[in-house]
Amino acid sequence: GFAALAVPAPSWKPLFDEWVRSAPGSWVALTARAAYRNALGRKGSGAGDAEDAGDERFRGMVDAFLPAVGDLEASLRIRPCQLYAYVILMEISRTLGDQARDARLARKALALYPDSYLLRHSHMISLTPRWGGSYDAMEGFAREAVLHAAKNPRLAVLAGFVPWDRG
């Protein structure tokens, strides 16, 4: 459901703000607004990474991402076991080029949800060479994911990400 709200429509801002105001303490409202703000930041950046963004585009990206991170941190204080909040935080870290933060978030989230394809897919993208990773790191992560494939067979497809990226 949160992904459906990740639409970079500026006209939606007052609606999200009102939702958060009218439902104090709602982790759902905070995470939804963060998904929206993340979409705004990615649109402003051209969906590339921080290194590729010009100064003005980078500022717009950060202006959207910082409040999204604030919303997610508040949301996680209310409900610490939110898979999608971690996915958004990982995506923001990746876009800003913060591999170390992405890795810390991935470890924390995977401790809660070790068989989550969504989390593992997000981190696998961060491990691609274009985002500062390596094929060795991707292969190692895919091997580790296979240990959880009995609970989630979809994890086996992560091994195909290296050939996919090379293609």
Side-chain angles (χ1 to χ4, degrees):
F2 292 119
L5 299 172
V7 176
S11 63
W12 289 18
K13 183 185 183 313
L15 301 172
F16 282 107
D17 291 344
E18 178 57 29
W19 184 10
V20 170
R21 259 192 310 278
S22 69
S26 171
W27 67 271
V28 174
L30 289 163
T31 301
R33 185 168 69 176
Y36 162 76
R37 287 175 162 171
N38 179 41
L40 281 178
R42 294 183 58 70
K43 178 183 179 198
S45 73
D49 61 23
E51 194 173 289
D52 295 334
D55 289 343
E56 187 175 322
R57 283 181 36 203
F58 182 76
R59 184 76 238 152
M61 187 170 56
V62 170
D63 286 347
F65 286 160
L66 286 178
V69 170
D71 281 348
L72 292 166
E73 288 172 349
S75 182
L76 285 166
R77 281 192 297 275
I78 297 165
R79 185 174 176 157
C81 296
Q82 288 180 65
L83 183 137
Y84 202 70
Y86 285 106
V87 170
I88 298 169
L89 285 168
M90 290 164 61
E91 187 171 275
I92 290 170
S93 296
R94 176 176 58 242
T95 303
L96 293 176
D98 192 342
Q99 292 173 308
R101 186 163 193 259
D102 176 84
R104 282 191 309 275
L105 288 163
R107 280 191 301 277
K108 188 171 184 177
L110 288 169
L112 298 169
Y113 302 100
D115 57 343
S116 168
Y117 177 81
L118 185 61
L119 285 172
R120 290 185 181 277
H121 174 269
S122 181
H123 189 56
M124 182 64 88
I125 297 300
S126 299
L127 293 175
T128 62
R130 77 176 129 253
W131 290 105
S134 70
Y135 292 132
D136 287 341
M138 291 175 73
E139 288 168 349
F141 189 65
R143 278 192 304 275
E144 192 271 327
V146 169
L147 301 175
H148 302 278
K151 282 191 170 182
N152 186 351
R154 191 172 183 199
L155 295 176
V157 304
L158 294 174
F161 273 58
V162 170
W164 165 79
D165 191 65
R166 284 186 171 141

